[in-house]
Amino acid sequence: MRRDYLENMKADGFEEFLSACESIKNCKYILAESKITALLKSIADNKRLYALFGNVLYGFDYNCVFSESVNGGVFSLPSDPASAIALVFRILLDIDSGKMSLRNFLEAYFYGVSINESYARFCLEIIAPFESYCRAAFSQPDLLVPISVRDGNDGQDETYSDKFRNELKADALKCVATLIDIADSVISGIIDRAEFTACLKGLVRAVNGDDYENIISSFIGVKYAVAYFFKSTKTVLDIYKKLEYDIKHLADK
């Protein structure tokens, strides 16, 4: 990423927004509401972000889109980036204002054995893609046009979709490369190390070839290999979680 772009992001306050997103993803449930408040403040204090959210909220039917996002007790974001950003923003506003209980929302749609596990799922499936969509839209705002004012121009959607998918691929390949480096220094057995590396390289081929069926089957192999060789090693598990997010969305046609 170019240095001048990073400096412009800082000047525009976008780093504060990204930092607020990270704080939400990295905290426990008990601190979540204060972190959500901080995130909303970072948006309100930033002219470009404020304009971006004003754009996606234009003509947005919150109740309708929320209802459509619930299917069989499972909550999933709309495939349209503008609608996804608007929906998450409105949900966070409702939580912050007290109109919606965060605990009730988590227990209804993000089942976990504990409230912290439910909250972790919420961060992975809602906050992480929201951050990614906003990151792309902030750098290229013309790519993000609400469905309600699009006038049938599908080309913009395709451009944005391609950009987001390329970012996912790049991040997934980076995660795999890091796992291979760790394996080279940690797994002592030559055969074990070769087996783990071969598993990861199979995933690389699937990702590079846009082979969506093999992406899933290859990732399952990686999942079990990580569990077998690294068990509960935190550093590896953190990388695995990022990879899991990338693969989930890459395989979602």
Side-chain angles (χ1 to χ4, degrees):
M1 185 177 290
R2 291 167 47 197
R3 180 181 297 275
D4 59 345
Y5 178 64
L6 284 172
E7 289 174 350
N8 287 335
M9 283 173 59
K10 186 174 183 180
D12 286 334
F14 192 59
E15 278 193 341
E16 284 74 14
F17 170 80
L18 294 179
S19 177
C21 287
E22 286 300 310
S23 293
I24 289 178
K25 292 187 295 181
N26 294 329
C27 77
K28 297 295 185 181
Y29 164 77
I30 192 171
L31 297 175
E33 292 184 356
S34 65
K35 301 300 183 181
I36 289 173
T37 298
L39 174 64
L40 294 174
K41 185 178 185 300
S42 74
I43 295 170
D45 290 344
N46 183 297
K47 290 182 178 179
R48 285 184 64 187
L49 276 173
Y50 195 81
L52 185 154
F53 281 90
N55 180 39
V56 298
L57 288 167
Y58 178 80
F60 178 71
D61 190 333
Y62 174 49
N63 292 328
C64 178
V65 176
F66 188 100
S67 298
E68 291 174 350
S69 299
V70 177
N71 184 16
V74 176
F75 190 91
S76 57
L77 291 179
S79 58
D80 170 64
S83 296
I85 290 176
L87 179 60
V88 175
F89 180 71
R90 283 296 310 274
I91 288 172
L92 296 179
L93 279 178
D94 280 1
I95 291 171
D96 186 57
S97 66
K99 291 181 179 179
M100 178 188 293
S101 164
L102 175 59
R103 175 178 283 273
N104 290 347
F105 183 64
L106 296 177
E107 291 177 345
Y109 305 116
F110 301 91
Y111 174 78
V113 296
S114 68
I115 192 63
N116 279 320
E117 184 173 310
S118 296
Y119 178 70
R121 282 193 56 201
F122 165 76
C123 290
L124 179 66
E125 298 173 23
I126 302 298
I127 300 300
F130 170 75
E131 178 186 357
S132 295
Y133 288 146
C134 290
R135 186 192 297 268
F138 192 83
S139 62
Q140 291 184 267
D142 290 340
L143 296 178
L144 201 62
V145 181
I147 285 178
S148 57
V149 295
R150 231 174 242 152
D151 296 329
N153 186 356
D154 293 332
Q156 293 190 30
D157 279 337
E158 183 178 355
T159 302
Y160 182 89
S161 177
D162 289 344
K163 176 180 174 60
F164 183 55
R165 185 170 292 279
N166 287 337
E167 288 180 352
L168 290 171
K169 288 175 65 173
D171 191 59
L173 294 175
K174 181 179 178 181
C175 289
V176 170
T178 303
L179 289 174
I180 290 176
D181 288 342
I182 292 174
D184 287 341
S185 61
V186 173
I187 300 177
S188 57
I190 296 177
I191 295 178
D192 286 344
R193 186 166 62 247
E195 179 183 346
F196 185 75
T197 301
C199 187
L200 289 167
K201 288 183 176 179
L203 179 60
V204 169
R205 287 192 295 272
V207 170
N208 282 330
D210 290 328
D211 188 341
Y212 301 112
E213 292 184 2
N214 273 340
I215 284 176
I216 291 298
S217 59
S218 298
F219 179 69
I220 291 174
V222 171
K223 175 181 179 179
Y224 287 111
V226 167
Y228 178 78
F229 288 110
F230 293 98
K231 296 181 174 62
S232 58
T233 304
K234 186 179 186 305
T235 301
V236 174
L237 291 180
D238 287 344
I239 298 169
Y240 170 80
K241 287 178 182 178
K242 289 183 63 179
L243 179 61
E244 182 181 42
Y245 167 79
D246 295 331
I247 296 303
K248 175 182 176 181
H249 289 81
L250 277 172
D252 184 14
K253 291 185 180 181

